[in-house]
Amino acid sequence: ETGVTQTPRHLVMGMTNKKSLKCEQHLGHNAMYWYKQSAKKPLELMFVYNFKEQTENNSVPSRFSPECPNSSHLFLHLHTLQPEDSALYLCASSQRGGMPNSGNTIYFGEGSWLTVV
Amino acid sequence: GESVGLHLPTLSVQEGDNSIINCAYSNSASDYFIWYKQESGKGPQFIIDIRSNMDKRQGQRVTVLLNKTVKHLSLQIAATQPGDSAVYFCAESGAGTALIFGKGTTLSVSS
């Protein structure tokens, strides 16, 4: 149990489907993140939210749409994805946004495996 | 640009041996470093971190060493166990809000 829960753990969707990934953190943190992990590549930061406000969008295509209704919940809405978007999507949280540092470590969920067919 | 890399993509050790996983970074302004462990089918798990004002930090069976002169970071695991088998990532911070991750080293421990 990491304190960051992601659902679903596995998702298969067609290119014309609309689906959402959900993340909930039970750590009392104020910042939440979406990362993408593809095979043979380093983790890529997608979005950062701090106190529900988006503070970073790392040039992510608009077919990925994040939503952060409160500091404990984060969604990633998926629409018209491509097969190359198949990857592990990781949610993470930290005490606050800003620079990671001691006392502001980023903790990850187990991830949602997405396959686009 | 900045990059965080690991010297070896794979490392195989015998149970009970000590393991050393290396990481090189290129941004001399980075001031905080983390090691994560990712087991198959799971998300990255925090292992240990170190700030740039330190050279060494010890945890339970793990030690992180930081050599700022050559921009090198290493993770030492004492008495490696089969449960230590995983992918290990180093990450650096210092230029902004994002952690920059390396590609990972796969550690395989045989009995």
Side-chain angles (χ1 to χ4, degrees), chain A residues 38-86:
Chain A
S38 305
K40 309 296 185 184
K41 294 175 69 175
L43 274 73
E44 303 170 55
L45 178 67
M46 300 175 72
F47 302 103
V48 181
Y49 278 81
N50 193 28
F51 290 94
K52 304 189 297 178
E53 298 297 321
Q54 186 179 124
T55 57
E56 193 155 342
N57 176 338
N58 199 24
S59 302
V60 180
S62 60
R63 58 186 184 270
F64 295 92
S65 175
E67 179 190 0
C68 189
N70 54 62
S71 293
S72 299
H73 294 85
L74 185 65
F75 296 89
L76 188 62
H77 303 299
L78 314 169
H79 180 222
T80 323
L81 295 192
Q82 304 298 310
E84 57 266 28
D85 295 321
S86 299

